[in-house]
Amino acid sequence: MALVAIVGRPNVGKSTLFNRLVGMRQAIVDETAGVTRDRHYGKCEWNGIEFSVVDTGGYTANSDDIFEKAIRRQVEIAVEEADVVLFMVEAAAGITDYDSEIADLLRRSGKPVVMAVNKVDKGAAMYDSYQFYSLGLGELWCISAANGGGTGDLLDEIVRVLPKEKAVDAERRDLPRITIVGRPNVGKSSLTNALLGEERNIVTPVAGTTRDSIASYYNKFGHEFMLVDTAGMRRKSRVQEDLEFYSVMRAIRSVEYSDVCILMIDAVLGMEAQDMNIFNLILRNRKGCVIVVNKWDLFEKGSNTMKEYTAALKARIAPFNDVPIIFTSVINKKRILDVLDAAARVSDNMKRRIPTSVLNDVMLPEIENYPPPAWKGKYVKIKYAVQLPVRTPSFAFFCNLPKWVKEPYKRFLENKLREHFDFEGCPLQIFMREK
């Protein structure tokens, strides 16, 4: 699928236009310059033609700021991989040094460039746009990303210059979505970059570097899925800025849309209260889970350290402790492929379907050996069970008195299901129904 990269200096409205093109508020928009940091992908469809759009951070030059250097590299990568570059400038501000430098970069790239002059909300502002012809990038298009003015003509031009044939669709909706979540600075972006083998997301020692939830297409070592990096989630009381609030909301939404979540924790700090909050968020949304203990190289180890750490971790997350736990050092690239294998295994387990005959052959003898407790002299008789046709593994047990079957016995049924069938990493739902 063809890729269009939106580039420009900070605060010209790139994310606003990106959200309009993809038809949803996918990228965070704020008046503060430098909100967008990583490349952010979405899909746009115009006149029956579909293409991918990538939003980038604002391009700056000659800056010592750690983020601005990294953003500049991300913009250069986006230009390299794009088929068409959408260069945005601002009418009222005129041509700045950054605009000239970006125009020079685009001329050298040899890529087709469509220039959009943004914030042309009034007719008078159109006269300010003609100066941009001096950048030597050809025809320009006056738009207002905020209210949509001129975007139709702009899209007509983009579609006209797009390559006619592009084989790869990097945003296929039928692929499993694996989302990496955790507190700030536990190594989520580093893990994404290590798995992808490229500088996909910006990594710095500063907590809160990632702001948007960044989806990437992964197709290596026999695995194919969408890998989503998210912003670190702190406690509500610690969130001071609006931007961080939006980032956390994006991360929560990514969990809701995911199939499997990789929960990363810091080996030195252990499973803290906020890690448990994120784990419970995954559980409430009925998503598959893999726990990755990162920075294992910094942890002081003895002869049985990993075994003891695993036991303590499972006790902390009980009763749902049938979860793969992988110990890694992302910076040293130790056991990162084990994370992928575990996530793929959990994704397969989430789709597992047990035939009704097999389910009853296994579960009815277990129920007969350990029947539900009697309630007020009444005996509960479970007749048969079926797996429900829903995304999360769910089972309905039909009996004469469903309301008298309490949680402890449902937990027994869940444990027996896990004992006989492989549902590692999957939350199970047990429903009692009247026959």
Side-chain angles (χ1 to χ4, degrees):
M1 181 176 287
L3 180 65
V4 176
I6 305 174
V7 302
R9 61 178 179 78
N11 230 23
V12 292
K14 297 182 296 299
S15 294
T16 305
L17 181 62
F18 174 83
N19 286 345
R20 183 167 291 281
L21 295 183
V22 300
M24 65 178 74
R25 295 177 65 182
Q26 194 168 322
I28 297 174
V29 175
D30 195 88
E31 292 180 2
T32 310
V35 171
T36 304
R37 288 173 175 169
D38 298 289
R39 287 168 287 156
H40 198 184
Y41 290 82
K43 263 189 177 181
C44 178
E45 191 259 333
W46 185 251
N47 289 341
I49 296 173
E50 199 174 52
F51 55 92
S52 294
V53 186
V54 55
D55 182 23
T56 62
Y59 186 93
T60 57
N62 303 319
S63 169
D64 294 328
D65 185 274
I66 186 170
F67 290 121
E68 291 184 348
K69 281 183 176 178
I71 290 168
R72 192 161 60 246
R73 176 63 186 141
Q74 290 287 305
V75 174
E76 289 166 356
I77 291 171
V79 171
E80 286 171 16
E81 65 182 26
D83 299 296
V84 175
V85 180
L86 177 53
F87 176 30
M88 285 188 72
V89 292
E90 185 185 339
I95 299 174
T96 67
D97 291 343
Y98 289 156
D99 292 327
S100 300
E101 186 157 338
I102 297 167
D104 189 45
L105 170 72
L106 296 181
R107 281 194 297 270
R108 290 199 309 271
S109 73
K111 297 288 176 73
V113 178
V114 178
M115 185 157 58
V117 183
N118 192 26
K119 305 184 184 178
V120 183
D121 301 294
K122 298 176 183 177
M126 195 172 291
Y127 295 110
D128 297 326
S129 66
Y130 297 132
Q131 60 187 303
F132 292 100
Y133 279 111
S134 65
L135 292 173
L137 293 173
E139 190 61 51
L140 54 85
W141 308 86
C142 296
I143 66 165
S144 172
N147 60 36
T151 51
D153 293 337
L154 177 68
L155 282 166
D156 285 340
E157 176 63 12
I158 291 172
V159 167
R160 189 185 69 80
V161 298
L162 279 177
K164 300 304 176 194
E165 293 295 330
K166 268 293 183 178
V168 178
D169 178 3
E171 288 284 328
R172 276 172 280 188
R173 298 182 189 278
D174 57 339
L175 291 178
R177 289 181 72 85
I178 295 178
T179 301
I180 304 173
V181 295
R183 288 182 292 112
N185 234 22
V186 292
K188 298 181 294 298
S189 296
S190 298
L191 176 61
T192 306
N193 289 348
L195 292 175
L196 295 172
E198 60 171 293
E199 292 179 47
R200 174 64 184 85
N201 298 333
I202 294 172
V203 176
T204 73
V206 181
T209 297
T210 303
R211 284 172 170 166
D212 278 305
S213 296
I214 311 299
S216 308
Y217 173 64
Y218 185 92
N219 186 12
K220 293 180 182 177
F221 305 107
H223 300 302
E224 186 179 22
F225 45 73
M226 297 303 297
L227 189 64
V228 184
D229 181 24
T230 63
M233 290 189 260
R234 296 198 293 172
R235 292 200 309 270
K236 281 185 182 178
S237 59
R238 297 282 184 90
V239 176
Q240 304 292 336
E241 300 176 2
D242 287 345
L243 289 178
E244 187 175 353
F245 170 77
Y246 294 135
S247 299
V248 172
M249 290 305 296
R250 292 291 197 279
I252 291 171
R253 193 174 71 176
S254 295
V255 170
E256 292 170 353
Y257 286 128
S258 67
D259 296 301
V260 177
C261 292
I262 296 173
L263 171 58
M264 292 192 73
I265 66 172
D266 189 312
V268 178
L269 299 176
M271 192 81 165
E272 295 189 322
Q274 181 60 6
D275 296 310
M276 282 303 302
N277 289 338
I278 299 169
F279 180 76
N280 289 329
L281 173 70
I282 296 167
L283 200 54
R284 281 198 307 274
N285 284 282
R286 300 289 171 188
K287 305 301 179 184
C289 184
V290 176
I291 295 178
V292 173
V293 183
N294 191 27
K295 306 181 184 179
W296 189 239
D297 55 313
L298 303 179
F299 193 82
E300 291 187 21
K301 294 179 259 309
S303 55
N304 289 316
T305 307
M306 191 176 288
K307 188 176 179 181
E308 291 166 0
Y309 200 107
T310 301
L313 201 53
K314 290 199 171 188
R316 184 93 165 89
I317 63 175
F320 176 42
N321 54 15
D322 186 18
V323 178
I325 298 173
I326 313 294
F327 294 84
T328 68
S329 171
V330 173
I331 198 167
N332 296 323
K333 297 189 176 178
K334 295 284 180 69
R335 290 184 288 277
I336 58 172
L337 290 181
D338 292 350
V339 176
L340 275 188
D341 293 338
R345 195 166 65 249
V346 171
S347 179
D348 290 339
N349 291 347
M350 289 289 285
K351 300 171 189 169
R352 192 178 305 284
R353 293 290 173 263
I354 310 299
T356 303
S357 58
V358 175
L359 182 64
N360 285 280
D361 288 346
V362 168
M363 293 303 294
L364 290 182
E366 295 285 1
I367 292 167
E368 193 175 336
N369 290 337
Y370 189 86
W375 183 266
K376 295 182 179 179
K378 294 180 180 178
Y379 290 91
V380 180
K381 294 180 180 178
I382 297 175
K383 303 295 184 183
Y384 65 97
V386 296
Q387 184 173 4
L388 301 175
V390 293
R391 288 178 69 87
T392 304
S394 305
F395 299 86
F397 289 81
F398 290 85
C399 61
N400 58 337
L401 298 167
K403 64 180 179 180
W404 300 130
V405 180
K406 304 302 180 184
E407 284 303 317
Y409 195 77
K410 289 182 182 178
R411 190 79 63 202
F412 163 77
L413 293 175
E414 179 181 332
N415 290 340
K416 288 300 176 184
L417 284 167
R418 292 188 185 281
E419 187 180 310
H420 291 286
F421 307 107
D422 186 6
F423 285 110
E424 186 186 26
C426 306
L428 300 185
Q429 288 184 288
I430 306 293
F431 298 100
M432 307 308 296
R433 294 286 182 263
E434 189 166 1
K435 185 177 183 307

